[in-house]
Amino acid sequence: MAVAGVLYPPHGRYDHHMKDKPLRDDGTPYSAAGLLWKDYGMAAIRNLLKVSQDDATLAAIWKALDRSLVLPIDQDDNGVVKMGKLSLADIVSACSAPWDTAELYGADEARARESLGFANAATAVAAHLVNMVDRVRASLKATGRVLEAYANAQDKRILLMETGMPTEKVIFEHDLPVVYVVSPVGADRWNVKAVPPVRGDFGQRVSLPEAWRGLDGSALAAVCGVPDAVFAHPARFICGAGSREGALKMARLALEIDERENGARPATV
């Protein structure tokens, strides 16, 4: 619990409201959440995961969540950096009753709604943590798959994934010169997705051909020469075909067309 400005873990006291606050290595003050995560995060992750993981994977999950989820809480709770809209802090705050609840419904009802709000916030945070732990686990698993697929690629500009999974994070963290990612999206559909120039941004390192823009079905097949071509998005960042081979052919054709129109691009983008 976090009470009375006392930090004494042996007695379960994890408050951070004291003059000399406990600090992270980078100087950021801990919140009670950060202190609890530091001491119990690994155990929580181990208990939340349905499939057992080795200690190295558990530590990597802990570190990723500490950086992406817990550190922002520490910063916000200590007035260092304000968390943005629709953040976890916003979701928790939205569970609280409005300021005039007692005025409208009386003190007893206000207390009841305050308790309900706390329970709802705890449920929301718990569900978010469970989901994030499993998503980070899956992300770490995807890293190995993506790097293996890249190592096996004949053309390093085309990343062929036999199963759909997140790839952009790995591409940018490992500085891979991938231009298009080919992956399945169902039993009878494979997509070609263009990699953006900056992680998480709009735009493409190499846009799909202008002649394909917004076409679908037989009209697209006639223009691109791939019989099972399905669609090409008007924004030129994604297209698809009915088969793995068709999608791969679309990716290769797109690169060939770009080279004819713009010249050969360097090995790295």
CSV table of all heavy atoms in Angstrom, one decimal, residues 34-95:
chain,number,residue,atom,x,y,z
A,34,GLY,N,5.7,2.8,-9.6
A,34,GLY,CA,7.0,2.4,-10.1
A,34,GLY,C,7.8,1.6,-9.0
A,34,GLY,O,8.5,0.7,-9.3
A,35,LEU,N,7.6,2.0,-7.7
A,35,LEU,CA,8.3,1.3,-6.7
A,35,LEU,C,7.8,-0.2,-6.6
A,35,LEU,O,8.5,-1.1,-6.4
A,35,LEU,CB,8.1,2.0,-5.4
A,35,LEU,CG,8.8,3.4,-5.2
A,35,LEU,CD1,8.3,4.1,-4.0
A,35,LEU,CD2,10.3,3.2,-5.1
A,36,LEU,N,6.5,-0.3,-6.7
A,36,LEU,CA,5.9,-1.6,-6.7
A,36,LEU,C,6.3,-2.5,-7.9
A,36,LEU,O,6.6,-3.7,-7.7
A,36,LEU,CB,4.3,-1.5,-6.6
A,36,LEU,CG,3.8,-1.1,-5.3
A,36,LEU,CD1,2.3,-0.6,-5.4
A,36,LEU,CD2,3.8,-2.3,-4.3
A,37,TRP,N,6.4,-1.8,-9.0
A,37,TRP,CA,6.8,-2.5,-10.2
A,37,TRP,C,8.2,-3.0,-10.1
A,37,TRP,O,8.6,-4.1,-10.5
A,37,TRP,CB,6.6,-1.6,-11.4
A,37,TRP,CG,7.0,-2.2,-12.7
A,37,TRP,CD1,8.1,-2.0,-13.5
A,37,TRP,CD2,6.3,-3.2,-13.5
A,37,TRP,NE1,8.2,-2.7,-14.6
A,37,TRP,CE2,7.1,-3.5,-14.6
A,37,TRP,CE3,5.1,-3.9,-13.2
A,37,TRP,CZ2,6.7,-4.5,-15.5
A,37,TRP,CZ3,4.7,-4.9,-14.2
A,37,TRP,CH2,5.5,-5.1,-15.3
A,38,LYS,N,9.1,-2.1,-9.5
A,38,LYS,CA,10.5,-2.5,-9.3
A,38,LYS,C,10.6,-3.8,-8.5
A,38,LYS,O,11.5,-4.6,-8.8
A,38,LYS,CB,11.2,-1.3,-8.7
A,38,LYS,CG,12.7,-1.6,-8.4
A,38,LYS,CD,13.4,-0.3,-8.1
A,38,LYS,CE,13.0,0.3,-6.8
A,38,LYS,NZ,13.5,-0.5,-5.6
A,39,ASP,N,9.8,-3.9,-7.4
A,39,ASP,CA,10.0,-5.0,-6.5
A,39,ASP,C,9.1,-6.2,-6.9
A,39,ASP,O,9.6,-7.4,-6.7
A,39,ASP,CB,9.5,-4.6,-5.1
A,39,ASP,CG,10.6,-3.7,-4.4
A,39,ASP,OD1,11.6,-3.4,-5.0
A,39,ASP,OD2,10.3,-3.3,-3.3
A,40,TYR,N,8.0,-6.0,-7.6
A,40,TYR,CA,7.1,-7.1,-7.8
A,40,TYR,C,6.8,-7.3,-9.3
A,40,TYR,O,6.0,-8.3,-9.7
A,40,TYR,CB,5.8,-6.9,-7.1
A,40,TYR,CG,5.9,-6.9,-5.6
A,40,TYR,CD1,5.9,-5.7,-4.9
A,40,TYR,CD2,6.1,-8.1,-4.9
A,40,TYR,CE1,6.1,-5.7,-3.5
A,40,TYR,CE2,6.3,-8.1,-3.5
A,40,TYR,CZ,6.3,-6.9,-2.8
A,40,TYR,OH,6.4,-6.9,-1.5
A,41,GLY,N,7.3,-6.5,-10.2
A,41,GLY,CA,7.0,-6.6,-11.6
A,41,GLY,C,7.3,-7.9,-12.2
A,41,GLY,O,6.6,-8.5,-13.0
A,42,MET,N,8.5,-8.4,-11.9
A,42,MET,CA,8.9,-9.7,-12.5
A,42,MET,C,8.0,-10.9,-12.1
A,42,MET,O,7.6,-11.7,-12.9
A,42,MET,CB,10.4,-10.0,-12.1
A,42,MET,CG,11.4,-9.2,-12.8
A,42,MET,SD,11.7,-9.8,-14.5
A,42,MET,CE,12.7,-11.3,-14.2
A,43,ALA,N,7.7,-10.9,-10.8
A,43,ALA,CA,6.7,-11.9,-10.3
A,43,ALA,C,5.4,-11.8,-10.9
A,43,ALA,O,4.7,-12.8,-11.3
A,43,ALA,CB,6.6,-11.8,-8.8
A,44,ALA,N,4.9,-10.5,-11.1
A,44,ALA,CA,3.6,-10.3,-11.7
A,44,ALA,C,3.6,-10.8,-13.2
A,44,ALA,O,2.7,-11.5,-13.6
A,44,ALA,CB,3.3,-8.8,-11.7
A,45,ILE,N,4.7,-10.5,-13.9
A,45,ILE,CA,4.8,-11.0,-15.3
A,45,ILE,C,4.8,-12.5,-15.3
A,45,ILE,O,4.1,-13.2,-16.2
A,45,ILE,CB,6.0,-10.4,-16.0
A,45,ILE,CG1,5.9,-8.9,-16.1
A,45,ILE,CG2,6.3,-11.1,-17.3
A,45,ILE,CD1,7.2,-8.3,-16.5
A,46,ARG,N,5.5,-13.1,-14.5
A,46,ARG,CA,5.6,-14.6,-14.4
A,46,ARG,C,4.2,-15.2,-14.2
A,46,ARG,O,3.9,-16.2,-14.8
A,46,ARG,CB,6.6,-15.0,-13.4
A,46,ARG,CG,6.9,-16.5,-13.4
A,46,ARG,CD,8.0,-16.9,-12.3
A,46,ARG,NE,9.3,-16.5,-12.7
A,46,ARG,CZ,10.0,-15.4,-12.1
A,46,ARG,NH1,9.4,-14.7,-11.2
A,46,ARG,NH2,11.2,-15.1,-12.6
A,47,ASN,N,3.5,-14.6,-13.3
A,47,ASN,CA,2.1,-15.1,-13.0
A,47,ASN,C,1.1,-14.8,-14.1
A,47,ASN,O,0.1,-15.6,-14.2
A,47,ASN,CB,1.7,-14.5,-11.7
A,47,ASN,CG,2.4,-15.1,-10.5
A,47,ASN,OD1,2.9,-16.2,-10.5
A,47,ASN,ND2,2.6,-14.3,-9.4
A,48,LEU,N,1.3,-13.7,-14.8
A,48,LEU,CA,0.3,-13.3,-15.8
A,48,LEU,C,0.4,-14.1,-17.1
A,48,LEU,O,-0.6,-14.3,-17.8
A,48,LEU,CB,0.4,-11.8,-16.1
A,48,LEU,CG,0.0,-10.9,-15.0
A,48,LEU,CD1,0.3,-9.5,-15.3
A,48,LEU,CD2,-1.5,-11.0,-14.7
A,49,LEU,N,1.6,-14.5,-17.4
A,49,LEU,CA,1.8,-15.3,-18.7
A,49,LEU,C,1.3,-16.7,-18.6
A,49,LEU,O,1.5,-17.4,-17.6
A,49,LEU,CB,3.3,-15.3,-19.0
A,49,LEU,CG,4.0,-14.0,-19.5
A,49,LEU,CD1,5.5,-14.1,-19.6
A,49,LEU,CD2,3.4,-13.5,-20.8
A,50,LYS,N,0.6,-17.1,-19.6
A,50,LYS,CA,0.0,-18.4,-19.7
A,50,LYS,C,1.1,-19.4,-20.1
A,50,LYS,O,0.9,-20.6,-19.8
A,50,LYS,CB,-1.1,-18.4,-20.7
A,50,LYS,CG,-2.2,-17.5,-20.4
A,50,LYS,CD,-2.9,-17.7,-19.1
A,50,LYS,CE,-4.1,-16.8,-18.8
A,50,LYS,NZ,-4.6,-17.0,-17.5
A,51,VAL,N,2.1,-19.0,-20.8
A,51,VAL,CA,3.2,-19.9,-21.3
A,51,VAL,C,4.4,-19.5,-20.5
A,51,VAL,O,4.8,-18.3,-20.6
A,51,VAL,CB,3.4,-19.8,-22.8
A,51,VAL,CG1,4.5,-20.7,-23.2
A,51,VAL,CG2,2.1,-20.2,-23.5
A,52,SER,N,5.1,-20.4,-19.9
A,52,SER,CA,6.3,-20.1,-19.2
A,52,SER,C,7.4,-19.6,-20.1
A,52,SER,O,7.5,-20.0,-21.3
A,52,SER,CB,6.8,-21.3,-18.4
A,52,SER,OG,7.2,-22.4,-19.3
A,53,GLN,N,8.2,-18.7,-19.6
A,53,GLN,CA,9.3,-18.0,-20.4
A,53,GLN,C,10.6,-18.1,-19.5
A,53,GLN,O,10.6,-18.2,-18.3
A,53,GLN,CB,9.0,-16.6,-20.7
A,53,GLN,CG,7.7,-16.4,-21.4
A,53,GLN,CD,7.7,-16.9,-22.8
A,53,GLN,OE1,8.7,-16.8,-23.5
A,53,GLN,NE2,6.5,-17.3,-23.3
A,54,ASP,N,11.7,-18.1,-20.2
A,54,ASP,CA,13.0,-18.1,-19.5
A,54,ASP,C,13.2,-16.7,-18.9
A,54,ASP,O,12.6,-15.7,-19.1
A,54,ASP,CB,14.2,-18.5,-20.4
A,54,ASP,CG,14.3,-17.5,-21.6
A,54,ASP,OD1,14.1,-16.3,-21.5
A,54,ASP,OD2,14.6,-18.0,-22.7
A,55,ASP,N,14.2,-16.7,-18.0
A,55,ASP,CA,14.5,-15.5,-17.2
A,55,ASP,C,14.9,-14.3,-18.1
A,55,ASP,O,14.5,-13.1,-17.8
A,55,ASP,CB,15.6,-15.7,-16.1
A,55,ASP,CG,15.1,-16.6,-15.0
A,55,ASP,OD1,13.9,-16.7,-14.8
A,55,ASP,OD2,16.0,-17.1,-14.3
A,56,ALA,N,15.6,-14.5,-19.2
A,56,ALA,CA,16.0,-13.5,-20.1
A,56,ALA,C,14.8,-12.8,-20.7
A,56,ALA,O,14.7,-11.6,-20.9
A,56,ALA,CB,17.0,-14.0,-21.1
A,57,THR,N,13.8,-13.6,-21.1
A,57,THR,CA,12.6,-13.1,-21.7
A,57,THR,C,11.8,-12.3,-20.7
A,57,THR,O,11.2,-11.3,-21.0
A,57,THR,CB,11.7,-14.2,-22.3
A,57,THR,OG1,12.5,-14.9,-23.3
A,57,THR,CG2,10.5,-13.7,-23.0
A,58,LEU,N,11.7,-12.9,-19.5
A,58,LEU,CA,10.9,-12.2,-18.5
A,58,LEU,C,11.6,-10.8,-18.2
A,58,LEU,O,10.8,-9.8,-18.0
A,58,LEU,CB,10.9,-13.0,-17.2
A,58,LEU,CG,10.1,-14.3,-17.2
A,58,LEU,CD1,10.3,-15.1,-15.9
A,58,LEU,CD2,8.6,-14.0,-17.4
A,59,ALA,N,12.9,-10.8,-18.1
A,59,ALA,CA,13.6,-9.5,-17.9
A,59,ALA,C,13.3,-8.5,-19.0
A,59,ALA,O,13.2,-7.3,-18.8
A,59,ALA,CB,15.1,-9.7,-17.7
A,60,ALA,N,13.3,-9.0,-20.3
A,60,ALA,CA,13.1,-8.1,-21.4
A,60,ALA,C,11.7,-7.6,-21.4
A,60,ALA,O,11.5,-6.4,-21.7
A,60,ALA,CB,13.3,-8.9,-22.7
A,61,ILE,N,10.7,-8.4,-21.0
A,61,ILE,CA,9.3,-7.9,-20.9
A,61,ILE,C,9.2,-6.9,-19.8
A,61,ILE,O,8.6,-5.8,-20.0
A,61,ILE,CB,8.4,-9.1,-20.6
A,61,ILE,CG1,8.3,-10.1,-21.8
A,61,ILE,CG2,6.9,-8.6,-20.3
A,61,ILE,CD1,7.6,-11.3,-21.5
A,62,TRP,N,9.9,-7.1,-18.7
A,62,TRP,CA,9.8,-6.2,-17.6
A,62,TRP,C,10.4,-4.8,-18.0
A,62,TRP,O,9.9,-3.8,-17.7
A,62,TRP,CB,10.6,-6.7,-16.4
A,62,TRP,CG,10.6,-5.8,-15.2
A,62,TRP,CD1,9.8,-5.9,-14.1
A,62,TRP,CD2,11.5,-4.7,-14.9
A,62,TRP,NE1,10.0,-4.8,-13.2
A,62,TRP,CE2,11.1,-4.1,-13.7
A,62,TRP,CE3,12.5,-4.1,-15.6
A,62,TRP,CZ2,11.7,-3.0,-13.2
A,62,TRP,CZ3,13.2,-3.0,-15.1
A,62,TRP,CH2,12.8,-2.4,-13.9
A,63,LYS,N,11.6,-4.9,-18.7
A,63,LYS,CA,12.2,-3.7,-19.1
A,63,LYS,C,11.4,-2.9,-20.1
A,63,LYS,O,11.3,-1.7,-20.0
A,63,LYS,CB,13.6,-4.0,-19.7
A,63,LYS,CG,14.4,-2.8,-20.1
A,63,LYS,CD,15.8,-3.2,-20.7
A,63,LYS,CE,16.6,-2.0,-21.1
A,63,LYS,NZ,17.9,-2.4,-21.6
A,64,ALA,N,10.8,-3.6,-21.1
A,64,ALA,CA,9.9,-2.9,-22.1
A,64,ALA,C,8.7,-2.2,-21.4
A,64,ALA,O,8.4,-1.1,-21.8
A,64,ALA,CB,9.5,-3.9,-23.1
A,65,LEU,N,8.1,-2.9,-20.5
A,65,LEU,CA,6.9,-2.3,-19.8
A,65,LEU,C,7.3,-1.2,-18.9
A,65,LEU,O,6.6,-0.2,-18.7
A,65,LEU,CB,6.1,-3.4,-19.1
A,65,LEU,CG,5.4,-4.4,-20.0
A,65,LEU,CD1,4.8,-5.5,-19.2
A,65,LEU,CD2,4.3,-3.6,-20.8
A,66,ASP,N,8.5,-1.4,-18.2
A,66,ASP,CA,9.0,-0.3,-17.4
A,66,ASP,C,9.2,1.0,-18.2
A,66,ASP,O,8.8,2.1,-17.7
A,66,ASP,CB,10.3,-0.7,-16.7
A,66,ASP,CG,10.8,0.3,-15.7
A,66,ASP,OD1,10.1,0.5,-14.7
A,66,ASP,OD2,11.9,0.8,-15.9
A,67,ARG,N,9.7,0.9,-19.3
A,67,ARG,CA,10.0,2.0,-20.2
A,67,ARG,C,8.7,2.6,-20.8
A,67,ARG,O,8.5,3.9,-20.8
A,67,ARG,CB,11.0,1.7,-21.3
A,67,ARG,CG,11.4,2.8,-22.2
A,67,ARG,CD,12.4,2.4,-23.2
A,67,ARG,NE,11.9,1.3,-24.1
A,67,ARG,CZ,12.3,0.0,-24.1
A,67,ARG,NH1,13.2,-0.3,-23.2
A,67,ARG,NH2,11.8,-0.9,-24.9
A,68,SER,N,7.8,1.8,-21.3
A,68,SER,CA,6.7,2.3,-22.0
A,68,SER,C,5.4,2.6,-21.2
A,68,SER,O,4.6,3.4,-21.5
A,68,SER,CB,6.3,1.2,-23.1
A,68,SER,OG,5.8,0.0,-22.5
A,69,LEU,N,5.3,1.9,-20.0
A,69,LEU,CA,4.1,2.0,-19.2
A,69,LEU,C,4.3,2.6,-17.8
A,69,LEU,O,3.6,3.5,-17.4
A,69,LEU,CB,3.5,0.6,-19.1
A,69,LEU,CG,2.2,0.5,-18.2
A,69,LEU,CD1,1.1,1.3,-18.9
A,69,LEU,CD2,1.8,-0.9,-18.0
A,70,VAL,N,5.4,2.1,-17.1
A,70,VAL,CA,5.6,2.5,-15.7
A,70,VAL,C,6.3,3.9,-15.6
A,70,VAL,O,5.9,4.7,-14.8
A,70,VAL,CB,6.3,1.4,-15.0
A,70,VAL,CG1,6.4,1.8,-13.5
A,70,VAL,CG2,5.6,0.1,-15.1
A,71,LEU,N,7.3,4.1,-16.4
A,71,LEU,CA,8.1,5.3,-16.4
A,71,LEU,C,7.2,6.5,-16.6
A,71,LEU,O,7.2,7.5,-15.9
A,71,LEU,CB,9.2,5.3,-17.4
A,71,LEU,CG,10.0,6.6,-17.5
A,71,LEU,CD1,10.6,7.1,-16.2
A,71,LEU,CD2,11.1,6.5,-18.6
A,72,PRO,N,6.3,6.5,-17.6
A,72,PRO,CA,5.4,7.6,-17.8
A,72,PRO,C,4.5,7.9,-16.6
A,72,PRO,O,4.1,9.1,-16.3
A,72,PRO,CB,4.6,7.2,-19.1
A,72,PRO,CG,5.4,6.3,-19.8
A,72,PRO,CD,6.2,5.5,-18.8
A,73,ILE,N,4.1,6.8,-15.9
A,73,ILE,CA,3.3,7.0,-14.7
A,73,ILE,C,4.1,7.7,-13.6
A,73,ILE,O,3.6,8.7,-13.0
A,73,ILE,CB,2.8,5.7,-14.2
A,73,ILE,CG1,1.8,5.0,-15.1
A,73,ILE,CG2,2.1,5.8,-12.8
A,73,ILE,CD1,1.4,3.6,-14.8
A,74,ASP,N,5.4,7.3,-13.5
A,74,ASP,CA,6.3,8.0,-12.5
A,74,ASP,C,6.4,9.5,-12.9
A,74,ASP,O,6.3,10.3,-12.0
A,74,ASP,CB,7.7,7.3,-12.5
A,74,ASP,CG,7.7,5.9,-11.9
A,74,ASP,OD1,6.7,5.6,-11.2
A,74,ASP,OD2,8.7,5.2,-12.1
A,75,GLN,N,6.6,9.7,-14.1
A,75,GLN,CA,6.8,11.1,-14.6
A,75,GLN,C,5.6,12.0,-14.3
A,75,GLN,O,5.7,13.1,-13.8
A,75,GLN,CB,7.2,11.1,-16.1
A,75,GLN,CG,8.6,10.5,-16.3
A,75,GLN,CD,8.8,10.4,-17.8
A,75,GLN,OE1,7.9,10.2,-18.6
A,75,GLN,NE2,10.1,10.5,-18.2
A,76,ASP,N,4.4,11.4,-14.7
A,76,ASP,CA,3.2,12.2,-14.5
A,76,ASP,C,2.8,12.4,-13.1
A,76,ASP,O,2.5,13.5,-12.6
A,76,ASP,CB,2.0,11.4,-15.2
A,76,ASP,CG,0.7,12.2,-15.2
A,76,ASP,OD1,0.0,12.1,-14.3
A,76,ASP,OD2,0.5,13.0,-16.2
A,77,ASP,N,3.0,11.4,-12.3
A,77,ASP,CA,2.6,11.4,-10.8
A,77,ASP,C,3.5,12.4,-10.1
A,77,ASP,O,3.1,12.9,-9.0
A,77,ASP,CB,2.6,10.0,-10.2
A,77,ASP,CG,1.8,9.9,-9.0
A,77,ASP,OD1,0.9,10.7,-8.8
A,77,ASP,OD2,2.1,9.0,-8.2
A,78,ASN,N,4.7,12.6,-10.6
A,78,ASN,CA,5.7,13.5,-9.9
A,78,ASN,C,5.8,14.8,-10.5
A,78,ASN,O,6.7,15.6,-10.2
A,78,ASN,CB,7.0,12.8,-9.8
A,78,ASN,CG,7.1,11.7,-8.8
A,78,ASN,OD1,7.1,12.0,-7.6
A,78,ASN,ND2,7.1,10.5,-9.2
A,79,GLY,N,4.9,15.1,-11.5
A,79,GLY,CA,5.0,16.4,-12.1
A,79,GLY,C,6.2,16.7,-13.0
A,79,GLY,O,6.6,17.8,-13.2
A,80,VAL,N,6.7,15.6,-13.6
A,80,VAL,CA,7.9,15.7,-14.5
A,80,VAL,C,7.5,15.9,-15.9
A,80,VAL,O,7.9,16.9,-16.6
A,80,VAL,CB,8.8,14.5,-14.4
A,80,VAL,CG1,10.0,14.6,-15.3
A,80,VAL,CG2,9.3,14.3,-12.9
A,81,VAL,N,6.6,15.0,-16.4
A,81,VAL,CA,6.1,15.1,-17.8
A,81,VAL,C,4.6,14.7,-17.7
A,81,VAL,O,4.3,13.7,-17.1
A,81,VAL,CB,6.9,14.2,-18.7
A,81,VAL,CG1,6.2,14.3,-20.1
A,81,VAL,CG2,8.3,14.6,-18.8
A,82,LYS,N,3.8,15.5,-18.3
A,82,LYS,CA,2.4,15.2,-18.4
A,82,LYS,C,2.1,14.1,-19.4
A,82,LYS,O,2.5,14.2,-20.5
A,82,LYS,CB,1.6,16.5,-18.7
A,82,LYS,CG,0.1,16.3,-18.6
A,82,LYS,CD,-0.4,16.2,-17.2
A,82,LYS,CE,-2.0,16.2,-17.2
A,82,LYS,NZ,-2.5,16.0,-15.8
A,83,MET,N,1.3,13.1,-19.0
A,83,MET,CA,0.9,12.1,-19.9
A,83,MET,C,-0.1,12.7,-20.9
A,83,MET,O,-0.9,13.5,-20.5
A,83,MET,CB,0.3,10.9,-19.2
A,83,MET,CG,1.4,10.1,-18.4
A,83,MET,SD,0.7,8.7,-17.5
A,83,MET,CE,0.4,7.5,-18.8
A,84,GLY,N,-0.2,12.2,-22.1
A,84,GLY,CA,-1.0,12.7,-23.1
A,84,GLY,C,-2.5,12.3,-23.0
A,84,GLY,O,-2.8,11.5,-22.1
A,85,LYS,N,-3.3,12.8,-23.8
A,85,LYS,CA,-4.7,12.5,-23.8
A,85,LYS,C,-4.9,11.0,-24.2
A,85,LYS,O,-4.1,10.4,-24.9
A,85,LYS,CB,-5.5,13.3,-24.8
A,85,LYS,CG,-5.7,14.7,-24.4
A,85,LYS,CD,-6.5,14.8,-23.1
A,85,LYS,CE,-6.8,16.2,-22.7
A,85,LYS,NZ,-7.5,16.3,-21.4
A,86,LEU,N,-5.9,10.4,-23.6
A,86,LEU,CA,-6.2,9.0,-23.8
A,86,LEU,C,-5.1,8.1,-23.3
A,86,LEU,O,-5.0,6.9,-23.7
A,86,LEU,CB,-6.5,8.6,-25.3
A,86,LEU,CG,-7.7,9.3,-25.9
A,86,LEU,CD1,-7.9,8.9,-27.4
A,86,LEU,CD2,-9.0,9.1,-25.1
A,87,SER,N,-4.3,8.6,-22.3
A,87,SER,CA,-3.3,7.8,-21.7
A,87,SER,C,-3.9,7.0,-20.6
A,87,SER,O,-5.1,7.1,-20.2
A,87,SER,CB,-2.2,8.7,-21.1
A,87,SER,OG,-2.8,9.5,-20.0
A,88,LEU,N,-3.1,6.1,-19.9
A,88,LEU,CA,-3.6,5.3,-18.8
A,88,LEU,C,-4.1,6.2,-17.7
A,88,LEU,O,-5.1,6.0,-17.0
A,88,LEU,CB,-2.5,4.4,-18.3
A,88,LEU,CG,-3.0,3.3,-17.4
A,88,LEU,CD1,-4.0,2.4,-18.0
A,88,LEU,CD2,-1.8,2.4,-16.9
A,89,ALA,N,-3.4,7.4,-17.5
A,89,ALA,CA,-3.8,8.3,-16.4
A,89,ALA,C,-5.2,8.9,-16.7
A,89,ALA,O,-6.0,9.1,-15.8
A,89,ALA,CB,-2.8,9.4,-16.3
A,90,ASP,N,-5.5,9.2,-18.0
A,90,ASP,CA,-6.8,9.7,-18.4
A,90,ASP,C,-7.9,8.7,-18.2
A,90,ASP,O,-9.0,9.0,-17.8
A,90,ASP,CB,-6.7,10.1,-19.9
A,90,ASP,CG,-6.7,11.6,-20.1
A,90,ASP,OD1,-6.4,12.3,-19.1
A,90,ASP,OD2,-6.8,12.0,-21.2
A,91,ILE,N,-7.6,7.4,-18.5
A,91,ILE,CA,-8.6,6.4,-18.3
A,91,ILE,C,-8.9,6.2,-16.8
A,91,ILE,O,-10.1,6.0,-16.5
A,91,ILE,CB,-8.0,5.0,-18.9
A,91,ILE,CG1,-7.9,5.2,-20.4
A,91,ILE,CG2,-8.9,3.9,-18.6
A,91,ILE,CD1,-7.2,4.0,-21.1
A,92,VAL,N,-7.9,6.2,-16.0
A,92,VAL,CA,-8.1,6.1,-14.5
A,92,VAL,C,-8.9,7.3,-14.0
A,92,VAL,O,-9.9,7.1,-13.3
A,92,VAL,CB,-6.8,6.0,-13.8
A,92,VAL,CG1,-7.0,6.1,-12.3
A,92,VAL,CG2,-6.1,4.6,-14.1
A,93,SER,N,-8.5,8.5,-14.5
A,93,SER,CA,-9.3,9.7,-14.1
A,93,SER,C,-10.7,9.7,-14.5
A,93,SER,O,-11.6,10.1,-13.7
A,93,SER,CB,-8.6,10.9,-14.6
A,93,SER,OG,-9.2,12.1,-14.3
A,94,ALA,N,-11.0,9.1,-15.7
A,94,ALA,CA,-12.4,9.1,-16.2
A,94,ALA,C,-13.3,8.1,-15.3
A,94,ALA,O,-14.5,8.2,-15.4
A,94,ALA,CB,-12.4,8.6,-17.6
A,95,CYS,N,-12.6,7.2,-14.6
A,95,CYS,CA,-13.4,6.3,-13.7
A,95,CYS,C,-13.9,7.1,-12.5
A,95,CYS,O,-14.8,6.5,-11.8
A,95,CYS,CB,-12.6,5.1,-13.3
A,95,CYS,SG,-12.2,4.0,-14.7
